[in-house]
Amino acid sequence: MSAARKSAAETAWIAETAQSLGFDLCGVAAASEFPELEKMQDWLARGYAGEMKYLHDPRRADLQATMSGVKSVIVCAINYNSPQPYSTEVAQGASSGDVAERGWISRYAWGSDYHEVLWKKLNALVAKMRERFAEPFEARASADTGPVQERVLAKHAGLGWIGKNTLLLNQSMGSWLFLGTILTDLELTPTVANKDFLPPDLCGTCTRCIEACPTDALVEPYVMDARRCIAYLTIELRGPIPEEFRRPMGNHVFGCDICQDVCPWNRKSPRTIQERVVFES
């Protein structure tokens, strides 16, 4: 078997092993330059990061600064679309008197800490890889905690496209996805061999996410002013919520799902098979 075919076979094995460990999606990207990261400085200069100082970490724009010698990035995803109603459905029921008004907590926070769920599975995958590969290698797993741009890496690993709501969208899974990464010095064959064959942007002319945001956080397609985002206001912001946003926020007390709830690609999003893992009490 040629070296190229062997490397491709190893990438396929990693994806299969990730699925056996409970991941719904897995892809590999070469640790190269990513055009999307070039826009980060302009976004930061506009002040859109608010008080999230960690987003100014220069390592977020350079994988080599995060891990010296990195050659490949493995990106894994878990679907967390539980069977309960969306926030928009609950709001409609409340307005019609069908259900009592209640505070809303974002879907991702309904169960076990997703960082721990991802971390355990990512490390299990690294352990399987160490059994598989004879040569020593470095690997660094990150469960939405390291200085990496998970959504950009996921796009280049072939997991989907970045939508107008700035989230990763997968044609089959929608956007209800927890993302985790493994940086490694193994030279693996990318899932998408040519950037021209990356998953296409299928948002089309749809602007439902932009129109539905009650605080106008999506200032233009693919650009979010985090300072106006309900998730930022209820989780990241340490001071009082500005008065201009208090009424538009409605009953949201921790996070927000509106831009995902109205997305047409989430209409057919499958229910998670991780119910007992991600959503255990």
Side-chain angles (χ1 to χ4, degrees):
M1 181 182 295
S2 68
R5 290 182 62 187
K6 180 179 179 182
S7 178
E10 300 296 16
T11 293
W13 176 86
I14 288 172
E16 293 170 2
T17 304
Q19 186 173 16
S20 73
L21 292 170
F23 287 110
D24 294 289
L25 300 170
C26 179
V28 173
S32 58
E33 295 182 357
F34 302 102
E36 294 83 357
L37 298 184
E38 297 176 3
K39 302 177 183 179
M40 187 69 177
Q41 289 305 312
D42 177 63
W43 186 81
L44 291 170
R46 296 186 190 186
Y48 287 165
E51 295 182 4
M52 295 182 288
K53 302 302 183 185
Y54 59 88
L55 294 181
H56 292 265
D57 188 331
R59 292 178 298 173
R60 299 183 72 85
D62 183 5
L63 286 181
Q64 293 296 332
T66 302
M67 176 182 166
S68 179
V70 59
K71 295 179 180 178
S72 305
V73 184
I74 302 167
V75 186
C76 299
I78 292 178
N79 168 25
Y80 67 93
N81 185 24
S82 60
Q84 285 75 20
Y86 289 169
S87 66
T88 48
E89 296 169 342
V90 171
Q92 290 167 359
S95 63
S96 64
D98 294 337
V99 296
E101 188 74 24
R102 67 188 71 179
W104 186 262
I105 295 174
S106 185
R107 205 172 208 82
Y108 85 88
W110 287 1
S112 300
D113 187 332
Y114 75 93
H115 301 91
E116 295 180 4
V117 174
L118 284 171
W119 182 252
K120 181 178 180 180
K121 291 182 181 296
L122 290 169
N123 281 313
L125 178 56
V126 172
K128 293 285 187 181
M129 289 169 59
R130 295 202 184 282
E131 295 175 2
R132 172 81 173 190
F133 300 113
E135 69 274 24
F137 66 89
E138 294 295 325
R140 183 173 300 176
S142 174
D144 195 22
T145 52
V148 295
Q149 303 275 34
E150 290 88 0
R151 282 170 285 181
V152 172
L153 300 180
K155 171 186 173 179
H156 286 270
L159 270 57
W161 73 96
I162 298 176
K164 291 179 182 178
N165 61 2
T166 74
L167 300 174
L168 183 79
L169 282 163
N170 177 273
Q171 191 169 357
S172 299
M173 292 281 178
S175 63
W176 304 108
L177 297 168
F178 291 135
L179 299 175
T181 62
I182 299 172
L183 306 185
T184 178
D185 58 3
L186 288 170
E187 192 161 2
L188 303 169
T189 298
T191 303
V192 181
N194 189 312
K195 65 179 181 180
D196 293 331
F197 297 103
L198 289 171
D201 182 339
L202 298 178
C203 285
T205 59
C206 179
T207 55
R208 294 186 186 185
C209 57
I210 298 172
E211 295 162 0
C213 180
T215 55
D216 297 321
L218 295 166
V219 293
E220 60 183 272
Y222 312 103
V223 179
M224 173 182 284
D225 182 346
R227 298 170 300 181
R228 305 183 67 89
C229 178
I230 294 174
Y232 169 84
L233 294 169
T234 57
I235 299 174
E236 300 285 354
L237 183 63
R238 293 295 177 261
I241 295 173
E243 290 189 15
E244 65 177 299
F245 301 127
R246 295 178 187 178
R247 184 176 294 276
M249 283 172 55
N251 63 344
H252 289 81
V253 296
F254 189 87
C256 179
D257 297 325
I258 293 174
C259 66
Q260 299 190 80
D261 290 344
V262 301
C263 178
W265 286 105
N266 280 332
R267 288 178 183 172
K268 296 182 179 180
S269 173
R271 299 309 187 193
T272 180
I273 61 173
Q274 302 293 329
E275 193 80 16
R276 282 182 278 178
V277 178
V278 179
F279 294 101
E280 64 186 4
S281 60

